[in-house]
Amino acid sequence: MDKIIASPRLIELLAPARDLATAIAAIDCGADAVYIGGPDHGARASASNSIDDIKKLVDYAHPFGVKIYVTLNTLVYEDEIEGVKELVRELYMAGVDALIVQDMSLLKMDIPPIELHASTQCDTRTPDKALRLQNAGFSQIVVARELNAAEIKSIADSVDVPVEVFVHGALCVSYSGDCRASLLATGRSANRGECAQMCRLPYDLIDSKGNVIAADRHFLSLKDMNRLDNIEELLRAGASSFKIEGRLKDAGYVKNITALYSRRIDEIIARCPGQYRRASQGVTDIDFEPSAHSVFNRGFTNYFLSRPTPHSLASLNTPKSTGRVIGRVKNVRKNCITLDKAPGLDNGDGLGYFDRSGRFTGFRANRVDGNLIFTRDKAPDIAPGTEIYCNSDRQARIASKRATRQRRLEISVKLIRIDNDRISMTMIAGDARATVIADTPRQTARTPQHENRLKIIEKLGDTIFTATDTDDLLDDDDFVAASVLTELRRRCAAMLLTSVKAGYKRSTRRQASTSFETPSTVDFHENIANSLAREFYTEHGSHSIEPALEVSIPDNKKEIKVMECRYCIRRELGACLKTPSGSRLPRDLMLRQSCGNRLYRLDFDCKRCLMSVTDVTATHQRLKR
């Protein structure tokens, strides 16, 4: 019996975009798919885009096989259902490939058969949850950031749809979709795209009697995720889509990180022939050296991907971008700081350090001479031995802001003479083909023509094509006017582009199954905010259904769990209750907001290795609508 060889698994690099220009830059830097906000309901209220811009993006992306996903991943209120239906219809008509959604009401709406992807707000931690979402009709599922490789594999093995994982960017301290700190403190709901980022604020860690253990530190502010060195491990775990976080980031950030991960994925695919294939086509030509350290970052962690977990996950002293360590201070004199080393620094770089109080303080290098840093005015008072960070690389900023060369499709071109009066040109790009014919009687040239013809044929700079295989089958002395060849090339390229666009096939919604059940009792953690979502749960076995807190905060709930985290403050501080060092801290701990009046109790479920954050402040804000 012949051995059946499986097709290569399609691998998708999924890049964020705040606007049309950033999205195009991401595509030109190697993205296989882009996710972007629509006019509203996009979980980033300040990153919305018009239908016209999304249509332009689709037109740019699809010839390369790049997919466009629109985020529609906020909770939908009852009075918004009809507006959401109309929005989905407009997005479908614009050519969008899929919607990233949180609210289960989308599964019950009368909308076009557009693919639905389960957002990170769906909080998918287990194979059972992933299988339920697949059976409900979702075509792609992003799993919780907190999962390790074995947990990701168990989910990938349990479903037939692509599994999406985050690989880079900012980390929420709570499981996504299950954080209500912003809602209760400010009335701004993270599940409505208006997170006030309570996790980035400073807090005092206190005991049950109010005694301060550690003051004014960013206990809930995590470092940024960086899994560049873990892509092959994630591939082996079954992940197919690699997602970069950052829909509020500028184009320089998106270009840098997209180019970095695209290069790494290509390297792995080259080492594993026949196993994987990129989900889109086209060649990219990056004219800068991408670096994760040259753009905004709070320091890096691969989070819980591997065990043992790196001891430090949080950026306790600052929520700001720290960048890379470049050296230590030897001495400071007037306007000159001497370091033990200063690799890769340039005039105008932004530098920083943690001062004696633990605050991150920045300054600018006016001039760099070897390991000497000169400031414009008096140098800051920095203690010898202090680490200096570079968090704003001038050369990297300049390079990443340059216009990226347009992505191009590789094509083959063939020129032949049909008879004494006609020639034809054929262009082929994948499965797309175009042939045009020109009337041009055979004339004998006095000089060789082959090289001149190739220069004209391959001059495709005003198109998305680049000729990598040109076959000129005309005789070397066959004279064809340059104007005829130019027009032939122009018509053929235009026809080929039409063929490429016509050949793009958009997938449709996955057929839902009826053979799955939702939990019999559903509390506010399931985020049910409208009648259609409630109907979805009722149809699949739920009987006791509590509405989302965005809809109703019961008066009898004086204490509300606002976060559930795999990150643990005790473990971060070296006082895990599973170890002898647990006694270093009191068993009962609380966080008190340094610049406000919020008080949070910390509960530690050591059996499940989870930390819960419960708001015990007497008053809660109502949602601001």
Side-chain angles (χ1 to χ4, degrees):
M1 182 180 293
D2 292 337
K3 183 179 179 180
I4 298 175
I5 301 176
S7 299
R9 175 145 53 99
L10 291 180
I11 304 304
E12 174 184 274
L13 178 59
L14 177 54
R18 66 184 302 169
D19 53 30
L20 174 62
T22 305
I24 289 175
I27 293 169
D28 286 343
C29 287
D32 300 296
V34 171
Y35 65 105
I36 188 170
D40 48 45
H41 289 283
R44 293 290 187 275
S46 59
S48 59
N49 294 274
S50 68
I51 296 294
D52 284 345
D53 275 356
I54 289 175
K55 177 68 169 65
K56 292 174 185 175
L57 177 57
V58 167
D59 289 343
Y60 186 84
H62 281 179
F64 303 106
V66 173
K67 294 183 177 181
I68 301 302
Y69 306 148
V70 169
T71 55
L72 212 157
N73 54 340
T74 65
L75 298 186
V76 178
Y77 293 140
E78 191 70 26
D79 60 356
E80 296 172 336
I81 290 175
E82 291 305 317
V84 170
K85 288 181 184 178
E86 182 56 32
L87 175 58
V88 173
R89 294 186 189 104
E90 292 178 354
L91 292 170
Y92 182 76
M93 292 303 295
V96 168
D97 292 279
L99 304 176
I100 301 174
V101 305
Q102 170 189 14
D103 201 303
M104 296 298 135
S105 65
L106 273 291
L107 297 166
K108 301 295 297 178
M109 290 183 189
D110 179 18
I111 55 177
I114 191 170
E115 274 197 359
L116 299 180
H117 292 185
S119 167
T120 184
Q121 308 301 116
C122 291
D123 187 19
T124 305
R125 313 182 200 180
T126 65
D128 287 345
K129 178 70 173 287
L131 189 58
R132 185 202 313 166
L133 291 170
Q134 173 183 287
N135 289 337
F138 286 96
S139 301
Q140 186 157 304
I141 298 167
V142 62
V143 297
R145 293 172 173 90
E146 292 80 357
L147 302 188
N148 60 42
E151 290 167 324
I152 293 170
K153 187 176 189 309
S154 68
I155 289 177
D157 288 346
S158 70
V159 296
D160 299 324
V161 297
V163 169
E164 180 183 313
V165 295
F166 278 93
V167 292
H168 201 95
L171 285 165
C172 297
V173 68
S174 173
Y175 280 95
S176 294
D178 204 18
C179 180
R180 292 158 189 85
S182 176
L183 171 65
L184 298 189
T186 69
R188 294 164 53 187
S189 169
N191 285 321
R192 291 282 294 176
E194 297 178 334
C195 179
Q197 294 194 313
M198 302 298 291
C199 58
R200 302 299 181 190
L201 299 178
Y203 294 90
D204 300 330
L205 182 65
I206 61 176
D207 64 16
S208 58
K209 297 179 181 179
N211 298 312
V212 177
I213 299 168
D216 204 28
R217 302 188 75 186
H218 301 268
F219 287 104
L220 299 176
S221 181
L222 300 187
K223 296 178 181 178
D224 288 356
M225 179 186 282
N226 183 336
R227 290 177 170 173
L228 185 67
D229 294 332
N230 304 108
I231 298 300
E232 198 159 1
E233 181 182 5
L234 288 166
L235 283 167
R236 290 195 299 269
S240 295
S241 178
F242 299 104
K243 188 172 192 174
I244 298 166
E245 189 279 336
R247 271 200 304 122
L248 295 181
K249 294 290 195 294
D250 60 26
Y253 178 96
V254 172
K255 287 170 62 176
N256 229 301
I257 303 304
T258 301
L260 192 65
Y261 277 84
S262 181
R263 177 185 293 177
R264 180 59 52 87
I265 291 171
D266 285 343
E267 290 170 354
I268 294 170
I269 291 176
R271 290 202 309 269
C272 306
Q275 293 187 46
Y276 312 113
R277 179 167 65 84
R278 293 296 289 267
S280 64
Q281 301 81 46
V283 292
T284 58
D285 186 8
I286 307 302
D287 57 357
F288 62 93
E289 185 60 30
S291 168
H293 295 279
S294 66
V295 292
F296 185 100
N297 72 86
R298 301 177 177 90
F300 291 122
T301 172
N302 72 2
Y303 210 25
F304 291 96
L305 188 62
S306 305
R307 297 288 188 170
T309 303
H311 185 64
S312 177
L313 297 178
S315 179
L316 295 175
N317 294 315
T318 180
K320 299 177 182 178
S321 175
T322 55
R324 71 184 193 277
V325 176
I326 57 168
R328 291 181 180 273
V329 173
K330 292 180 69 175
N331 59 65
V332 178
R333 293 196 209 111
K334 295 184 180 179
N335 70 329
C336 178
I337 302 168
T338 303
L339 302 183
D340 59 350
K341 57 182 179 179
L345 277 188
D346 194 15
N347 299 343
D349 282 352
L351 307 177
Y353 64 99
F354 289 100
D355 63 22
R356 290 176 173 84
S357 67
R359 294 288 185 185
F360 191 73
T361 303
F363 66 99
R364 189 165 297 281
N366 187 51
R367 182 168 64 86
V368 177
D369 183 4
N371 64 335
L372 303 179
I373 300 173
F374 295 90
T375 56
R376 184 179 296 277
D377 301 310
K378 189 176 186 301
D381 180 20
I382 310 175
T386 300
E387 287 186 323
I388 299 296
Y389 297 77
C390 177
N391 63 353
S392 182
D393 187 316
R394 177 175 171 270
Q395 289 301 325
R397 291 198 311 272
I398 293 172
S400 63
K401 286 182 179 179
R402 286 201 296 264
T404 309
R405 295 185 179 93
Q406 185 184 37
R407 187 165 170 170
R408 297 193 178 275
L409 284 179
E410 295 180 323
I411 65 171
S412 62
V413 184
K414 180 179 288 188
L415 184 67
I416 64 173
R417 178 165 287 282
I418 302 173
D419 54 37
N420 281 334
D421 295 316
R422 296 177 300 164
I423 61 172
S424 76
M425 182 180 291
T426 299
M427 293 182 178
I428 301 174
D431 295 330
R433 173 188 294 263
T435 299
V436 293
I437 297 173
D439 293 328
T440 177
R442 175 75 160 83
Q443 299 181 58
T444 301
R446 295 179 180 177
T447 58
Q449 296 292 300
H450 181 70
E451 291 300 323
N452 289 335
R453 287 199 296 262
L454 287 182
K455 289 179 181 178
I456 297 171
I457 293 169
E458 295 175 352
K459 193 176 180 180
L460 292 159
D462 57 346
T463 73
I464 67 166
F465 304 118
T466 181
T468 56
D469 179 19
T470 306
D471 199 0
D472 176 10
L473 299 181
L474 271 62
D475 293 337
D476 201 15
D477 64 350
D478 192 343
F479 174 79
V480 180
S483 59
V484 173
L485 282 176
T486 299
E487 179 63 13
L488 199 63
R489 183 201 67 220
R490 186 194 65 77
R491 288 170 51 208
C492 198
M495 188 180 295
L496 182 63
L497 180 59
T498 299
S499 179
V500 167
K501 289 181 176 181
Y504 185 86
K505 303 300 180 186
R506 183 168 47 162
S507 299
T508 57
R509 176 93 54 80
R510 181 183 177 86
Q511 185 67 38
S513 167
T514 57
S515 60
F516 69 95
E517 294 183 355
T518 51
S520 58
T521 299
V522 178
D523 63 12
F524 67 82
H525 293 279
E526 290 294 325
N527 297 321
I528 300 170
N530 58 67
S531 60
L532 290 183
R534 186 182 185 90
E535 183 181 330
F536 167 81
Y537 281 92
T538 301
E539 283 182 357
H540 294 286
S542 300
H543 304 296
S544 176
I545 300 176
E546 187 178 46
L549 292 188
E550 285 80 0
V551 174
S552 174
I553 300 178
D555 293 333
N556 63 347
K557 283 189 180 290
K558 301 302 182 184
E559 296 185 358
I560 299 177
K561 184 169 75 172
V562 295
M563 295 183 190
E564 187 168 80
C565 318
R566 196 165 223 179
Y567 161 79
C568 176
I569 287 176
R570 298 191 72 99
R571 186 171 55 227
E572 182 71 19
L573 297 179
C576 174
L577 287 170
K578 289 182 176 181
T579 68
S581 61
S583 59
R584 291 176 51 191
L585 292 176
R587 179 168 288 273
D588 297 325
L589 297 173
M590 304 184 81
L591 290 178
R592 182 174 61 202
Q593 190 177 335
S594 300
C595 52
N597 62 352
R598 310 306 295 184
L599 188 63
Y600 301 95
R601 186 182 71 243
L602 303 178
D603 297 306
F604 304 95
D605 183 345
C606 295
K607 185 176 181 180
R608 298 167 60 213
C609 211
L610 293 175
M611 180 183 76
S612 296
V613 181
T614 298
D615 190 328
V616 295
T617 313
T619 59
H620 303 310
Q621 295 293 320
R622 298 296 174 178
L623 183 71
K624 296 177 180 178
R625 296 189 61 181

